[in-house]
Amino acid sequence: LGGDDHEWATGPARVMRISFLFLILISTTTYTANLAAFFLMPDFTFHGPKTMADLNHARVCFGSRQWGGLAEPFAQEVTYPPDEFAMGKSIEQLQEYCKDQVVSGSVDA
């Protein structure tokens, strides 16, 4: 607590010291923020197949028929929202439909 033993007399030395102290400040606050984020991480439940082998035997819901064909080689069955439901809906509403189907157990992913 007695202070520095080194005198920072020149301008470049003072700039270097301030820069070094700023680096220490940034490093300390980054570590503290990451530690707090780690301890405050919410728990979540993962619904759906855990491996590719499980996906091969799974029923998959896609909100759009346009992209559903991409999943056909990897899933046993691909389902879509009913056409009367899908007309005029946003992609978020179609994703919500598929999420509800996963949570209810109607589809696996």
Side-chain angles (χ1 to χ4, degrees):
L1 295 176
D4 270 342
D5 291 338
H6 187 295
E7 176 121 4
W8 301 90
T10 65
R14 288 181 184 150
V15 169
M16 186 182 79
R17 180 171 187 237
I18 294 295
S19 300
F20 181 67
L21 292 174
F22 187 70
L23 175 70
I24 291 172
L25 175 72
I26 296 298
S27 299
T28 304
T29 55
T30 301
Y31 172 77
T32 304
N34 283 334
L35 186 63
F38 174 76
F39 285 122
L40 298 175
M41 187 182 321
D43 292 333
F44 62 91
T45 303
F46 181 79
H47 297 280
K50 309 282 191 274
T51 65
M52 286 299 289
D54 292 342
L55 182 60
N56 284 333
H57 304 292
R59 292 185 61 207
V60 178
C61 180
F62 256 82
S64 169
R65 293 184 188 278
Q66 177 183 3
W67 300 106
L70 297 173
E72 288 176 0
F74 304 104
Q76 181 178 358
E77 181 183 348
V78 178
T79 61
Y80 305 95
D83 288 334
E84 59 273 1
F85 175 81
M87 295 301 292
K89 301 287 186 183
S90 69
I91 190 68
E92 290 84 12
Q93 291 170 315
L94 298 174
Q95 289 171 345
E96 188 69 28
Y97 171 85
C98 285
K99 185 185 104 180
D100 293 340
Q101 294 299 308
V102 171
V103 171
S104 71
S106 301
V107 296
D108 300 312

